[in-house]
Amino acid sequence: MTQEANEQYLSGLVAVTGGIYGWRRASSSLIMEPMDQPVAIGGTMEGDKEIREIKMEHLNKREAGNSRLISRIAQMAFSDFHVSEQVKAVRSFPYFGMNKLAPLSAALMHTLRWLDHTLQGIGPKHLQAYLNHQSFVFNIAKKGLESCALLASFMCDKR
């Protein structure tokens, strides 16, 4: 994600949820373990079924709390940093497995699986860079060919 993309805020109808990278499903405990890395995802929504844009952030463990269920405090901290002040309300869901906002949960699960299966896992040091990459890829795909043409023209101007 470019610096410019980091400075753009989510606006419109915004939803926020979170999950845990590194949570091995064999463990049924809801207490966060040392390898667990909390992640928040926020998206600008078009209704309940379609996402227009996403941002993901590796959360500080102190901010996220001791539970594998991401706290509303962590979601509010994400919202303070990534959501425009003009947004009246942010819908938040404390557990990414909830079906209330399936498209946002699916985007997060896709990213977490991609990290595990493609990269065979990643440590906390580089996690944010890969979350930025996946956000960028998702957002470019959503914007379609118009964005690809813009990106191509940007790349040509740099030479």
Side-chain angles (χ1 to χ4, degrees):
M1 192 179 302
T2 64
Q3 184 65 27
E4 179 180 305
N6 265 339
E7 293 171 358
Q8 293 176 346
Y9 294 107
L10 296 172
S11 60
L13 177 60
V14 175
V16 176
T17 190
I20 302 293
Y21 173 67
W23 180 358
R24 302 295 171 228
R25 300 293 183 237
S27 172
S28 61
S29 171
L30 291 178
I31 304 299
M32 200 172 303
E33 295 180 5
M35 294 299 292
D36 293 346
Q37 300 300 321
V39 176
I41 181 172
T44 299
M45 306 296 297
E46 290 182 13
D48 283 345
K49 302 289 183 205
E50 191 170 338
I51 307 168
R52 202 170 66 220
E53 177 184 14
I54 65 169
K55 288 185 181 248
M56 290 187 268
E57 183 177 353
H58 178 204
L59 298 172
N60 181 324
K61 283 189 174 185
R62 274 182 280 143
E63 201 172 78
N66 291 332
S67 173
R68 285 183 168 159
L69 302 178
I70 303 299
S71 70
R72 292 215 186 259
I73 295 169
Q75 292 176 357
M76 290 182 340
F78 175 89
S79 297
D80 289 344
F81 192 71
H82 293 290
V83 178
S84 171
E85 291 180 8
Q86 285 79 26
V87 173
K88 300 276 189 268
V90 175
R91 297 169 59 194
S92 63
F93 302 95
Y95 179 61
F96 67 82
M98 294 179 80
N99 291 328
K100 290 184 179 181
L101 201 57
L104 197 58
S105 297
L108 179 61
M109 287 305 298
H110 171 78
T111 297
L112 299 181
R113 283 191 198 112
W114 179 82
L115 289 167
D116 270 343
H117 297 297
T118 304
L119 302 173
Q120 300 297 307
I122 187 157
K125 181 177 180 181
H126 299 290
L127 181 57
Q128 185 60 53
Y130 283 103
L131 293 173
N132 289 347
H133 168 78
Q134 284 295 300
S135 297
F136 175 77
V137 168
F138 182 91
N139 293 337
I140 286 293
K142 278 296 181 182
K143 291 177 183 171
L145 294 176
E146 178 184 322
S147 293
C148 291
L150 179 64
L151 184 60
S153 68
F154 175 74
M155 295 301 285
C156 291
D157 290 343
K158 289 291 181 182
R159 292 183 181 183

